[in-house]
Amino acid sequence: LQCDNKARGGKLFIIDPGDQTTHHTFFDDNIRYTEAKIVDARSKVQPRKQLNIYWLLQAHLVRAEPLEAIMEPDYFIAQVEALEEAYSR
């Protein structure tokens, strides 16, 4: 059975662009490289506006790969490090 997961109405992920002390991150195996799918990412400042997926994928969203996460003990650490590097740019 396949679900028609859409970002609107998906798992709410609020990013506060004014908070420079927090790096907002979200892992999900249903994130696609062209759309967030199941993640409804919103800005705290403009909550009615959906955020750009390409911007989010660079530093905030990770398409989790379940098999890699199981097989590689440092999987999540490596993913967060990559996000941190992109976020600092």
Side-chain angles (χ1 to χ4, degrees):
L1 183 69
Q2 245 189 345
C3 298
D4 186 24
N5 299 326
K6 299 286 183 196
R8 272 192 154 348
K11 298 171 187 173
L12 186 59
F13 176 49
I14 299 174
I15 295 176
D16 182 355
D19 182 357
Q20 300 300 312
T21 63
T22 304
H23 183 177
H24 304 82
T25 59
F26 196 104
F27 286 78
D28 197 287
D29 63 337
N30 285 309
I31 293 171
R32 301 290 177 248
Y33 297 111
T34 56
E35 65 175 313
K37 288 283 273 186
I38 201 162
V39 181
D40 187 3
R42 304 289 175 142
S43 168
K44 181 179 175 184
V45 178
Q46 295 179 307
R48 294 185 186 273
K49 182 180 176 189
Q50 282 189 300
L51 299 173
N52 181 291
I53 184 63
Y54 300 107
W55 175 75
L56 291 167
L57 284 170
Q58 290 177 18
H60 298 285
L61 300 180
V62 175
R63 175 183 162 83
E65 299 294 343
L67 185 58
E68 288 179 40
I70 292 168
M71 301 300 290
E72 297 175 24
D74 293 336
Y75 174 79
F76 289 102
I77 293 168
Q79 296 300 316
V80 169
E81 286 174 346
L83 290 176
E84 285 288 320
E85 183 178 329
Y87 187 67
S88 66
R89 284 187 229 148

PDB file of all heavy atoms in Angstrom, residues 33-58:
ATOM      1  N   TYR A  33      14.436  14.323  -3.331  1.00  0.00           N
ATOM      2  CA  TYR A  33      15.362  15.377  -3.710  1.00  0.00           C
ATOM      3  C   TYR A  33      14.693  16.493  -4.511  1.00  0.00           C
ATOM      4  O   TYR A  33      15.304  17.514  -4.769  1.00  0.00           O
ATOM      5  CB  TYR A  33      16.554  14.798  -4.461  1.00  0.00           C
ATOM      6  CG  TYR A  33      17.327  13.849  -3.569  1.00  0.00           C
ATOM      7  CD1 TYR A  33      17.333  12.493  -3.810  1.00  0.00           C
ATOM      8  CD2 TYR A  33      18.000  14.330  -2.456  1.00  0.00           C
ATOM      9  CE1 TYR A  33      18.023  11.620  -2.967  1.00  0.00           C
ATOM     10  CE2 TYR A  33      18.687  13.466  -1.605  1.00  0.00           C
ATOM     11  CZ  TYR A  33      18.683  12.124  -1.871  1.00  0.00           C
ATOM     12  OH  TYR A  33      19.344  11.268  -1.040  1.00  0.00           O
ATOM     13  N   THR A  34      13.434  16.322  -4.854  1.00  0.00           N
ATOM     14  CA  THR A  34      12.697  17.357  -5.567  1.00  0.00           C
ATOM     15  C   THR A  34      11.583  17.954  -4.727  1.00  0.00           C
ATOM     16  O   THR A  34      11.038  18.987  -5.067  1.00  0.00           O
ATOM     17  CB  THR A  34      12.088  16.803  -6.864  1.00  0.00           C
ATOM     18  OG1 THR A  34      11.272  15.673  -6.541  1.00  0.00           O
ATOM     19  CG2 THR A  34      13.166  16.418  -7.840  1.00  0.00           C
ATOM     20  N   GLU A  35      11.225  17.295  -3.634  1.00  0.00           N
ATOM     21  CA  GLU A  35      10.213  17.818  -2.728  1.00  0.00           C
ATOM     22  C   GLU A  35      10.363  17.167  -1.358  1.00  0.00           C
ATOM     23  O   GLU A  35      10.871  16.066  -1.234  1.00  0.00           O
ATOM     24  CB  GLU A  35       8.802  17.604  -3.271  1.00  0.00           C
ATOM     25  CG  GLU A  35       8.399  16.151  -3.384  1.00  0.00           C
ATOM     26  CD  GLU A  35       6.960  15.982  -3.809  1.00  0.00           C
ATOM     27  OE1 GLU A  35       6.079  16.647  -3.242  1.00  0.00           O
ATOM     28  OE2 GLU A  35       6.719  15.189  -4.715  1.00  0.00           O
ATOM     29  N   ALA A  36       9.910  17.877  -0.348  1.00  0.00           N
ATOM     30  CA  ALA A  36      10.057  17.376   1.016  1.00  0.00           C
ATOM     31  C   ALA A  36       9.140  16.192   1.296  1.00  0.00           C
ATOM     32  O   ALA A  36       9.353  15.438   2.228  1.00  0.00           O
ATOM     33  CB  ALA A  36       9.786  18.499   2.020  1.00  0.00           C
ATOM     34  N   LYS A  37       8.115  16.008   0.476  1.00  0.00           N
ATOM     35  CA  LYS A  37       7.109  14.945   0.624  1.00  0.00           C
ATOM     36  C   LYS A  37       6.405  15.025   1.971  1.00  0.00           C
ATOM     37  O   LYS A  37       5.476  15.777   2.113  1.00  0.00           O
ATOM     38  CB  LYS A  37       7.700  13.553   0.432  1.00  0.00           C
ATOM     39  CG  LYS A  37       8.074  13.205  -0.976  1.00  0.00           C
ATOM     40  CD  LYS A  37       6.917  12.851  -1.810  1.00  0.00           C
ATOM     41  CE  LYS A  37       6.547  11.400  -1.722  1.00  0.00           C
ATOM     42  NZ  LYS A  37       5.511  11.052  -2.649  1.00  0.00           N
ATOM     43  N   ILE A  38       6.863  14.310   2.919  1.00  0.00           N
ATOM     44  CA  ILE A  38       6.159  14.157   4.192  1.00  0.00           C
ATOM     45  C   ILE A  38       6.485  15.251   5.206  1.00  0.00           C
ATOM     46  O   ILE A  38       5.889  15.331   6.261  1.00  0.00           O
ATOM     47  CB  ILE A  38       6.464  12.758   4.761  1.00  0.00           C
ATOM     48  CG1 ILE A  38       5.416  12.349   5.764  1.00  0.00           C
ATOM     49  CG2 ILE A  38       7.876  12.695   5.315  1.00  0.00           C
ATOM     50  CD1 ILE A  38       5.383  10.872   6.031  1.00  0.00           C
ATOM     51  N   VAL A  39       7.431  16.140   4.866  1.00  0.00           N
ATOM     52  CA  VAL A  39       7.849  17.199   5.787  1.00  0.00           C
ATOM     53  C   VAL A  39       7.246  18.532   5.334  1.00  0.00           C
ATOM     54  O   VAL A  39       7.443  18.963   4.211  1.00  0.00           O
ATOM     55  CB  VAL A  39       9.385  17.324   5.842  1.00  0.00           C
ATOM     56  CG1 VAL A  39       9.807  18.407   6.812  1.00  0.00           C
ATOM     57  CG2 VAL A  39      10.012  15.993   6.189  1.00  0.00           C
ATOM     58  N   ASP A  40       6.521  19.169   6.230  1.00  0.00           N
ATOM     59  CA  ASP A  40       5.927  20.481   5.961  1.00  0.00           C
ATOM     60  C   ASP A  40       6.798  21.521   6.659  1.00  0.00           C
ATOM     61  O   ASP A  40       6.575  21.873   7.815  1.00  0.00           O
ATOM     62  CB  ASP A  40       4.490  20.519   6.490  1.00  0.00           C
ATOM     63  CG  ASP A  40       3.753  21.788   6.108  1.00  0.00           C
ATOM     64  OD1 ASP A  40       4.327  22.629   5.389  1.00  0.00           O
ATOM     65  OD2 ASP A  40       2.602  21.942   6.539  1.00  0.00           O
ATOM     66  N   ALA A  41       7.833  21.984   5.961  1.00  0.00           N
ATOM     67  CA  ALA A  41       8.804  22.920   6.537  1.00  0.00           C
ATOM     68  C   ALA A  41       8.293  24.348   6.414  1.00  0.00           C
ATOM     69  O   ALA A  41       7.926  24.790   5.326  1.00  0.00           O
ATOM     70  CB  ALA A  41      10.142  22.772   5.831  1.00  0.00           C
ATOM     71  N   ARG A  42       8.290  25.042   7.547  1.00  0.00           N
ATOM     72  CA  ARG A  42       7.786  26.414   7.600  1.00  0.00           C
ATOM     73  C   ARG A  42       8.745  27.305   8.376  1.00  0.00           C
ATOM     74  O   ARG A  42       9.422  26.856   9.285  1.00  0.00           O
ATOM     75  CB  ARG A  42       6.419  26.467   8.292  1.00  0.00           C
ATOM     76  CG  ARG A  42       5.352  25.595   7.699  1.00  0.00           C
ATOM     77  CD  ARG A  42       4.903  26.136   6.385  1.00  0.00           C
ATOM     78  NE  ARG A  42       3.949  25.239   5.754  1.00  0.00           N
ATOM     79  CZ  ARG A  42       2.909  25.662   5.083  1.00  0.00           C
ATOM     80  NH1 ARG A  42       2.670  26.943   4.955  1.00  0.00           N
ATOM     81  NH2 ARG A  42       2.112  24.787   4.495  1.00  0.00           N
ATOM     82  N   SER A  43       8.723  28.571   8.025  1.00  0.00           N
ATOM     83  CA  SER A  43       9.494  29.565   8.759  1.00  0.00           C
ATOM     84  C   SER A  43       8.660  30.071   9.926  1.00  0.00           C
ATOM     85  O   SER A  43       7.460  30.313   9.773  1.00  0.00           O
ATOM     86  CB  SER A  43       9.843  30.734   7.835  1.00  0.00           C
ATOM     87  OG  SER A  43      10.336  31.819   8.579  1.00  0.00           O
ATOM     88  N   LYS A  44       9.287  30.253  11.062  1.00  0.00           N
ATOM     89  CA  LYS A  44       8.591  30.806  12.224  1.00  0.00           C
ATOM     90  C   LYS A  44       8.113  32.224  11.925  1.00  0.00           C
ATOM     91  O   LYS A  44       7.080  32.658  12.404  1.00  0.00           O
ATOM     92  CB  LYS A  44       9.524  30.801  13.438  1.00  0.00           C
ATOM     93  CG  LYS A  44       8.881  31.328  14.691  1.00  0.00           C
ATOM     94  CD  LYS A  44       9.841  31.272  15.862  1.00  0.00           C
ATOM     95  CE  LYS A  44       9.222  31.915  17.087  1.00  0.00           C
ATOM     96  NZ  LYS A  44      10.167  31.960  18.190  1.00  0.00           N
ATOM     97  N   VAL A  45       8.868  32.937  11.095  1.00  0.00           N
ATOM     98  CA  VAL A  45       8.559  34.317  10.759  1.00  0.00           C
ATOM     99  C   VAL A  45       7.380  34.415   9.784  1.00  0.00           C
ATOM    100  O   VAL A  45       6.529  35.277   9.921  1.00  0.00           O
ATOM    101  CB  VAL A  45       9.803  35.025  10.167  1.00  0.00           C
ATOM    102  CG1 VAL A  45       9.497  36.446   9.758  1.00  0.00           C
ATOM    103  CG2 VAL A  45      10.943  34.988  11.165  1.00  0.00           C
ATOM    104  N   GLN A  46       7.328  33.514   8.790  1.00  0.00           N
ATOM    105  CA  GLN A  46       6.254  33.497   7.797  1.00  0.00           C
ATOM    106  C   GLN A  46       5.682  32.079   7.712  1.00  0.00           C
ATOM    107  O   GLN A  46       5.934  31.351   6.750  1.00  0.00           O
ATOM    108  CB  GLN A  46       6.771  33.918   6.430  1.00  0.00           C
ATOM    109  CG  GLN A  46       7.238  35.351   6.358  1.00  0.00           C
ATOM    110  CD  GLN A  46       7.763  35.686   4.988  1.00  0.00           C
ATOM    111  OE1 GLN A  46       8.639  34.993   4.457  1.00  0.00           O
ATOM    112  NE2 GLN A  46       7.237  36.743   4.401  1.00  0.00           N
ATOM    113  N   PRO A  47       4.881  31.662   8.693  1.00  0.00           N
ATOM    114  CA  PRO A  47       4.426  30.272   8.744  1.00  0.00           C
ATOM    115  C   PRO A  47       3.499  29.836   7.608  1.00  0.00           C
ATOM    116  O   PRO A  47       3.365  28.644   7.338  1.00  0.00           O
ATOM    117  CB  PRO A  47       3.713  30.177  10.092  1.00  0.00           C
ATOM    118  CG  PRO A  47       3.383  31.575  10.460  1.00  0.00           C
ATOM    119  CD  PRO A  47       4.421  32.437   9.822  1.00  0.00           C
ATOM    120  N   ARG A  48       2.893  30.748   6.913  1.00  0.00           N
ATOM    121  CA  ARG A  48       1.990  30.377   5.803  1.00  0.00           C
ATOM    122  C   ARG A  48       2.755  30.052   4.523  1.00  0.00           C
ATOM    123  O   ARG A  48       2.204  29.486   3.593  1.00  0.00           O
ATOM    124  CB  ARG A  48       0.977  31.479   5.537  1.00  0.00           C
ATOM    125  CG  ARG A  48       0.012  31.676   6.682  1.00  0.00           C
ATOM    126  CD  ARG A  48      -1.050  32.691   6.315  1.00  0.00           C
ATOM    127  NE  ARG A  48      -1.887  33.004   7.438  1.00  0.00           N
ATOM    128  CZ  ARG A  48      -2.972  32.321   7.782  1.00  0.00           C
ATOM    129  NH1 ARG A  48      -3.331  31.279   7.078  1.00  0.00           N
ATOM    130  NH2 ARG A  48      -3.683  32.680   8.827  1.00  0.00           N
ATOM    131  N   LYS A  49       4.018  30.423   4.475  1.00  0.00           N
ATOM    132  CA  LYS A  49       4.832  30.220   3.274  1.00  0.00           C
ATOM    133  C   LYS A  49       5.697  28.973   3.427  1.00  0.00           C
ATOM    134  O   LYS A  49       6.447  28.841   4.381  1.00  0.00           O
ATOM    135  CB  LYS A  49       5.717  31.443   3.053  1.00  0.00           C
ATOM    136  CG  LYS A  49       6.556  31.355   1.813  1.00  0.00           C
ATOM    137  CD  LYS A  49       7.406  32.602   1.660  1.00  0.00           C
ATOM    138  CE  LYS A  49       8.309  32.460   0.460  1.00  0.00           C
ATOM    139  NZ  LYS A  49       9.296  33.513   0.383  1.00  0.00           N
ATOM    140  N   GLN A  50       5.589  28.050   2.462  1.00  0.00           N
ATOM    141  CA  GLN A  50       6.448  26.865   2.487  1.00  0.00           C
ATOM    142  C   GLN A  50       7.857  27.257   2.052  1.00  0.00           C
ATOM    143  O   GLN A  50       8.043  28.109   1.196  1.00  0.00           O
ATOM    144  CB  GLN A  50       5.909  25.779   1.560  1.00  0.00           C
ATOM    145  CG  GLN A  50       4.750  25.024   2.160  1.00  0.00           C
ATOM    146  CD  GLN A  50       4.387  23.827   1.326  1.00  0.00           C
ATOM    147  OE1 GLN A  50       4.044  23.957   0.164  1.00  0.00           O
ATOM    148  NE2 GLN A  50       4.468  22.664   1.924  1.00  0.00           N
ATOM    149  N   LEU A  51       8.839  26.620   2.651  1.00  0.00           N
ATOM    150  CA  LEU A  51      10.233  26.937   2.363  1.00  0.00           C
ATOM    151  C   LEU A  51      10.725  26.176   1.139  1.00  0.00           C
ATOM    152  O   LEU A  51      10.236  25.092   0.818  1.00  0.00           O
ATOM    153  CB  LEU A  51      11.094  26.609   3.585  1.00  0.00           C
ATOM    154  CG  LEU A  51      10.734  27.405   4.844  1.00  0.00           C
ATOM    155  CD1 LEU A  51      11.515  26.888   6.036  1.00  0.00           C
ATOM    156  CD2 LEU A  51      10.989  28.882   4.641  1.00  0.00           C
ATOM    157  N   ASN A  52      11.721  26.725   0.473  1.00  0.00           N
ATOM    158  CA  ASN A  52      12.288  26.151  -0.742  1.00  0.00           C
ATOM    159  C   ASN A  52      13.030  24.843  -0.437  1.00  0.00           C
ATOM    160  O   ASN A  52      13.942  24.820   0.391  1.00  0.00           O
ATOM    161  CB  ASN A  52      13.235  27.175  -1.372  1.00  0.00           C
ATOM    162  CG  ASN A  52      13.852  26.687  -2.642  1.00  0.00           C
ATOM    163  OD1 ASN A  52      14.671  25.777  -2.627  1.00  0.00           O
ATOM    164  ND2 ASN A  52      13.468  27.293  -3.740  1.00  0.00           N
ATOM    165  N   ILE A  53      12.659  23.771  -1.128  1.00  0.00           N
ATOM    166  CA  ILE A  53      13.227  22.437  -0.877  1.00  0.00           C
ATOM    167  C   ILE A  53      14.730  22.408  -1.150  1.00  0.00           C
ATOM    168  O   ILE A  53      15.480  21.753  -0.438  1.00  0.00           O
ATOM    169  CB  ILE A  53      12.491  21.349  -1.687  1.00  0.00           C
ATOM    170  CG1 ILE A  53      13.023  19.952  -1.335  1.00  0.00           C
ATOM    171  CG2 ILE A  53      12.612  21.592  -3.175  1.00  0.00           C
ATOM    172  CD1 ILE A  53      12.803  19.524   0.084  1.00  0.00           C
ATOM    173  N   TYR A  54      15.192  23.122  -2.157  1.00  0.00           N
ATOM    174  CA  TYR A  54      16.616  23.080  -2.482  1.00  0.00           C
ATOM    175  C   TYR A  54      17.447  23.728  -1.375  1.00  0.00           C
ATOM    176  O   TYR A  54      18.506  23.239  -1.029  1.00  0.00           O
ATOM    177  CB  TYR A  54      16.869  23.733  -3.845  1.00  0.00           C
ATOM    178  CG  TYR A  54      16.116  23.007  -4.934  1.00  0.00           C
ATOM    179  CD1 TYR A  54      14.993  23.567  -5.533  1.00  0.00           C
ATOM    180  CD2 TYR A  54      16.492  21.727  -5.328  1.00  0.00           C
ATOM    181  CE1 TYR A  54      14.286  22.880  -6.500  1.00  0.00           C
ATOM    182  CE2 TYR A  54      15.795  21.032  -6.286  1.00  0.00           C
ATOM    183  CZ  TYR A  54      14.688  21.612  -6.870  1.00  0.00           C
ATOM    184  OH  TYR A  54      13.972  20.927  -7.812  1.00  0.00           O
ATOM    185  N   TRP A  55      16.954  24.802  -0.806  1.00  0.00           N
ATOM    186  CA  TRP A  55      17.615  25.448   0.325  1.00  0.00           C
ATOM    187  C   TRP A  55      17.602  24.528   1.543  1.00  0.00           C
ATOM    188  O   TRP A  55      18.600  24.371   2.230  1.00  0.00           O
ATOM    189  CB  TRP A  55      16.915  26.777   0.638  1.00  0.00           C
ATOM    190  CG  TRP A  55      17.449  27.459   1.845  1.00  0.00           C
ATOM    191  CD1 TRP A  55      18.634  28.141   1.950  1.00  0.00           C
ATOM    192  CD2 TRP A  55      16.841  27.526   3.136  1.00  0.00           C
ATOM    193  NE1 TRP A  55      18.787  28.637   3.234  1.00  0.00           N
ATOM    194  CE2 TRP A  55      17.685  28.263   3.985  1.00  0.00           C
ATOM    195  CE3 TRP A  55      15.650  27.039   3.661  1.00  0.00           C
ATOM    196  CZ2 TRP A  55      17.391  28.525   5.308  1.00  0.00           C
ATOM    197  CZ3 TRP A  55      15.349  27.303   4.984  1.00  0.00           C
ATOM    198  CH2 TRP A  55      16.221  28.034   5.789  1.00  0.00           C
ATOM    199  N   LEU A  56      16.464  23.888   1.790  1.00  0.00           N
ATOM    200  CA  LEU A  56      16.326  22.989   2.937  1.00  0.00           C
ATOM    201  C   LEU A  56      17.262  21.786   2.835  1.00  0.00           C
ATOM    202  O   LEU A  56      17.885  21.387   3.816  1.00  0.00           O
ATOM    203  CB  LEU A  56      14.888  22.496   3.057  1.00  0.00           C
ATOM    204  CG  LEU A  56      13.858  23.533   3.468  1.00  0.00           C
ATOM    205  CD1 LEU A  56      12.451  23.000   3.235  1.00  0.00           C
ATOM    206  CD2 LEU A  56      14.050  23.913   4.928  1.00  0.00           C
ATOM    207  N   LEU A  57      17.351  21.191   1.650  1.00  0.00           N
ATOM    208  CA  LEU A  57      18.182  19.994   1.471  1.00  0.00           C
ATOM    209  C   LEU A  57      19.665  20.269   1.678  1.00  0.00           C
ATOM    210  O   LEU A  57      20.420  19.383   2.060  1.00  0.00           O
ATOM    211  CB  LEU A  57      17.961  19.393   0.085  1.00  0.00           C
ATOM    212  CG  LEU A  57      16.664  18.615  -0.086  1.00  0.00           C
ATOM    213  CD1 LEU A  57      16.441  18.287  -1.552  1.00  0.00           C
ATOM    214  CD2 LEU A  57      16.667  17.348   0.759  1.00  0.00           C
ATOM    215  N   GLN A  58      20.084  21.477   1.456  1.00  0.00           N
ATOM    216  CA  GLN A  58      21.499  21.806   1.625  1.00  0.00           C
ATOM    217  C   GLN A  58      21.938  21.761   3.079  1.00  0.00           C
ATOM    218  O   GLN A  58      23.048  21.323   3.369  1.00  0.00           O
ATOM    219  CB  GLN A  58      21.796  23.181   1.039  1.00  0.00           C
ATOM    220  CG  GLN A  58      21.723  23.210  -0.455  1.00  0.00           C
ATOM    221  CD  GLN A  58      21.959  24.600  -0.997  1.00  0.00           C
ATOM    222  OE1 GLN A  58      22.486  25.474  -0.311  1.00  0.00           O
ATOM    223  NE2 GLN A  58      21.569  24.827  -2.226  1.00  0.00           N
TER     224      GLN A  58
END
